[in-house]
Amino acid sequence: MKTLLIAIGLVAATTLPALAAEPVKMVDTKMGKVMATEKGMTLYTFDKDAQGKSNCDKDCLKKWPAFHAVGKAKAEGEWSLVKDADGKQMWAYGGKPLYTFSGDKKSGDMNGDGFGNMWHVAK
């Protein structure tokens, strides 16, 4: 019994931090499930980004704010950290940096999808 409890404790200790590491939540929309911040703001990818590198310059970041990592965020699995044009850490999923859109005013807005044929909701 003692061995079983230790094993359960080890599984919880190694599994729970991994679950807590995901910086986004998935929300149901008319386009299916999409990634959003904890506040429900839709996240986007940019076609001009390179794998693991943001190509959204400082002017671009005014309209498309980077989804910044906070605290001592750690990359894990499909999640990685890249630097934005200001040198701040931002989240990337599958190597694609993630952004919000200044034109989205409330939770659930997806006004940036398809913008300039280069911006897409993150799924």
Side-chain angles (χ1 to χ4, degrees):
M1 183 67 163
K2 184 176 177 183
T3 304
L4 179 62
L5 290 175
I6 291 171
I8 290 171
L10 286 173
V11 168
T14 57
T15 305
L16 293 177
L19 296 175
E22 283 199 14
V24 302
K25 63 181 182 177
M26 298 301 291
V27 294
D28 288 314
T29 70
K30 62 185 177 193
M31 296 178 67
K33 288 193 179 288
V34 300
M35 290 182 184
T37 67
E38 277 301 314
K39 293 182 180 178
M41 300 307 289
T42 303
L43 291 166
Y44 300 88
T45 58
F46 183 39
D47 286 347
K48 290 189 176 184
D49 284 342
Q51 186 74 2
K53 182 181 183 322
S54 171
N55 286 317
C56 186
D57 63 21
K58 289 183 182 192
D59 287 335
C60 172
L61 288 173
K62 291 175 185 171
K63 185 173 258 186
W64 298 92
F67 179 45
H68 289 120
V70 294
K72 296 181 180 184
K74 290 184 179 180
E76 187 172 322
E78 290 290 318
W79 293 100
S80 58
L81 295 166
V82 298
K83 292 192 182 207
D84 69 10
D86 292 327
K88 297 177 184 169
Q89 295 276 33
M90 65 183 290
W91 285 110
Y93 183 77
K96 296 179 181 182
L98 298 172
Y99 307 84
T100 57
F101 178 51
S102 63
D104 288 346
K105 301 303 179 193
K106 65 185 184 312
S107 174
D109 282 353
M110 295 186 298
N111 298 316
D113 189 50
F115 193 91
N117 290 324
M118 293 180 279
W119 292 92
H120 312 283
V121 295
K123 295 183 175 189

